[in-house]
Amino acid sequence: MRWLALLCLALFSSLAGAAQPIRYCDYPVYPPISWSDGHDVRGLAPQTVRSVLGELGYEVQTVVLGNWKRCLLDAAEGRVDLVLAYQTPQRDDGLLFSRVPVLREEVAIFYNRRKPVRFDQLGDLANYRGGLLFGESYGPEFDRFVAERGNVEWVSDSRQNFGKLIRQRIDFIAHERRTGTLFVEQLAGGEDIVALPRPLTVDYLRIAVSRHSPLAARMDEIDAVLKKRVDDGSVARWLDDSERGYRAMLAGDGVPR
């Protein structure tokens, strides 16, 4: 009967391991990708994570940290299991990225119409003072430019960043066009903030799994489920639902929390 006891013990250990929730890190200041209603993290990103991992049998626990850089660091070091992020060479060291993208994102240059910005090539931005959130990366060329020029102020909150742009304390913000446009709608003075038609870059939001996570062995399955969600229109529908939900919240009390 010892073999039966060992089998039961192994089964119990397996079930106990499966019961451990997957830790998903989010910094919910990117509506409609991710945002907070004051109680829960909402948006396309958490919806996609719950749907994909739920089909693979995982419970998801959402972890909210103080800034995006901290989320990326904790994922790379294995304190959380995954994030949704752009892929960069630096992030490849600690993260595995889905081959299937969740969403195509266009990064734009936002400026104050009272103080126009000229942008035909990256070097033109050397003449201006910019603003970025901690941890943001918009491609190796732009990241190298920012590091060399040192003309960017780093903050942890989009409201603070766009507020500085409204008050003309900075000249431009590099930000996802969809998110930035939606965000400035609810800011006093936001009518002065516009985005240049020419994108700074185009990138793709992907599921990024810590190399220390048990999910690292299931990237092919993650890709397969994610592809189904993209192909059947679920991702596009969640994006539309999130934008409507965010606007509805703003209409309710005028302030996203």
Side-chain angles (χ1 to χ4, degrees):
M1 296 295 290
R2 187 183 177 196
W3 66 270
L4 182 58
L6 291 173
L7 179 61
C8 290
L9 180 60
L11 180 60
F12 176 80
S13 298
S14 176
L15 290 174
Q20 289 293 321
I22 290 297
R23 290 167 57 84
Y24 158 65
C25 192
D26 202 324
Y27 182 51
V29 297
Y30 295 95
I33 308 305
S34 69
W35 49 280
S36 173
D37 62 6
H39 303 285
D40 299 310
V41 176
R42 299 176 58 182
L44 171 67
Q47 178 70 55
T48 300
V49 169
R50 287 193 298 267
S51 177
V52 170
L53 295 190
E55 181 158 328
L56 296 180
Y58 293 102
E59 174 191 348
V60 176
Q61 175 188 353
T62 301
V63 178
V64 176
L65 298 176
N67 60 61
W68 179 230
K69 186 175 183 179
R70 175 73 186 280
C71 255
L72 291 168
L73 179 63
D74 276 22
E77 295 185 355
R79 288 187 289 271
V80 298
D81 295 281
L82 78 158
V83 295
L84 258 67
Y86 297 149
Q87 186 171 12
T88 70
Q90 294 80 8
R91 294 173 184 176
D92 280 335
D93 290 341
L95 301 171
L96 296 170
F97 288 83
S98 61
R99 293 189 302 275
V100 177
V102 175
L103 189 69
R104 177 186 183 274
E105 289 269 68
E106 190 173 278
V107 178
I109 296 297
F110 287 82
Y111 68 98
N112 191 315
R113 68 172 82 246
R114 298 174 184 272
K115 191 177 180 182
V117 168
R118 177 179 175 272
F119 170 62
D120 294 317
Q121 57 186 357
L122 186 57
D124 293 335
L125 296 179
N127 300 316
Y128 306 101
R129 192 74 181 166
L132 289 172
L133 297 186
F134 288 115
E136 283 186 325
S137 172
Y138 293 128
E141 186 180 5
F142 179 73
D143 293 350
R144 186 165 52 250
F145 170 82
V146 168
E148 291 173 353
R149 296 290 178 171
N151 64 330
V152 163
E153 298 178 13
W154 298 90
V155 299
S156 60
D157 180 76
S158 291
R159 180 183 299 278
Q160 179 185 0
N161 225 12
F162 278 99
K164 290 165 69 174
L165 189 59
I166 290 168
R167 296 189 298 275
Q168 299 182 46
R169 289 179 53 193
I170 56 176
D171 303 310
F172 74 89
I173 293 173
H175 205 82
E176 289 80 6
R177 187 183 300 276
R178 180 188 294 106
T179 299
T181 301
L182 184 60
F183 190 79
V184 298
E185 289 179 5
Q186 50 84 28
L187 291 178
E191 65 274 7
D192 288 331
I193 306 305
V194 291
L196 291 170
R198 176 175 181 166
L200 172 67
T201 186
V202 173
D203 214 327
Y204 294 86
L205 193 64
R206 301 177 188 273
I207 292 177
V209 170
S210 172
R211 291 181 179 271
H212 301 283
S213 170
L215 292 177
R218 305 192 69 177
M219 292 303 296
D220 288 343
E221 296 168 86
I222 288 172
D223 271 313
V225 177
L226 179 56
K227 187 174 188 305
K228 287 196 300 182
R229 299 296 187 269
V230 172
D231 291 348
D232 68 12
S234 294
V235 169
R237 186 174 66 254
W238 295 334
L239 183 64
D240 289 342
D241 289 347
S242 177
E243 186 166 334
R244 282 195 297 271
Y246 185 75
R247 291 182 189 277
M249 182 188 68
L250 295 183
D253 64 11
V255 180
R257 289 162 291 204

